Amino acid sequence: MTTMPLSQLAQPINRLGDAILPILARLVFAGVLLIYYWNSGLTKLGDGIFGFLQPSAGAYVQIFPRAMEAAGYDTSQLTVFHWAVATGGTIAEFLLPLLIVVGLLTRLASIGMIGFIIMQSLTDLFGHGGIGHEGTLGAWFDRMSDALILDQRAFWVLCLMILVLKGAGALSVDRLIFRNAP
């Protein structure tokens, strides 16, 4: 009787994981975060067909709460930098999730989304005063699993890291365009 090394027994499971994990990560992202980010992006659009180029006052309040307060909530008092960040952030809230869900430029879009989540978290903590609110930041290795920043967003980033490391998977536009892509 010959025994198979453990590594050979694990190979089919590893192959299955490599095939399914990216697709599941994109599905979970779509189910949990696609509409969340698109609804958030909708609150930042200005009026008209080119509203994405003229973010609403709400966009500035969400992204630059302290700068808006200092400007008396008058967007004309803000700089071109504020406009560029608000416009870029608004576009990113629509574009990056869409790219991830359809599986186009998935690794790049996932890295962009991770950066977006980091900036969103820092804004929530320091711009909106989340540091002082009980439960917002949270703590790892405690008995509570519902903190907005450390708990929830860690799972978001983990889902995106799967896509950064594994790619979009077989059912993706990336696979159609880049046939030899992993």
Side-chain angles (χ1 to χ4, degrees), residues 9-168:
L9 290 173
Q11 283 178 356
I13 295 170
N14 289 340
R15 281 193 301 276
L16 184 64
D18 288 343
I20 292 176
L21 199 57
I23 296 165
L24 289 177
R26 287 181 27 239
L27 180 65
V28 168
F29 179 87
V32 175
L33 294 173
L34 176 68
I35 302 303
Y36 168 81
Y37 277 110
W38 280 8
N39 281 335
S40 178
L42 287 172
T43 67
K44 294 176 179 74
L45 293 176
D47 295 329
I49 193 163
F50 294 108
F52 66 94
L53 294 175
Q54 294 180 317
S56 67
Y60 292 103
V61 171
Q62 289 177 50
I63 299 170
F64 298 108
R66 294 188 185 197
M68 277 295 282
E69 185 178 359
Y73 297 96
D74 178 7
T75 57
S76 69
Q77 301 297 313
L78 300 177
T79 67
V80 122
F81 167 78
H82 295 97
W83 170 84
V85 171
T87 301
T90 301
I91 292 168
E93 279 191 297
F94 290 107
L95 185 61
L96 292 176
L98 177 65
L99 291 172
I100 289 167
V101 170
V102 300
L104 177 61
L105 304 174
T106 309
R107 285 187 164 114
L108 186 60
S110 296
I111 290 169
M113 230 25 250
I114 290 169
F116 193 96
I117 290 168
I118 290 168
M119 292 308 298
Q120 173 188 8
S121 300
L122 291 173
T123 300
D124 287 346
L125 290 173
F126 298 106
H128 294 288
I131 281 280
H133 290 104
E134 183 74 26
T136 300
L137 177 62
W140 282 359
F141 309 107
D142 63 359
R143 64 181 183 84
M144 306 304 288
S145 64
D146 61 349
L148 178 65
I149 306 296
L150 284 180
D151 294 338
Q152 286 182 7
R153 295 186 187 168
F155 280 108
W156 298 0
V157 170
L158 174 63
C159 184
L160 292 164
M161 282 303 298
I162 290 169
L163 297 172
V164 169
L165 297 173
K166 297 276 186 191

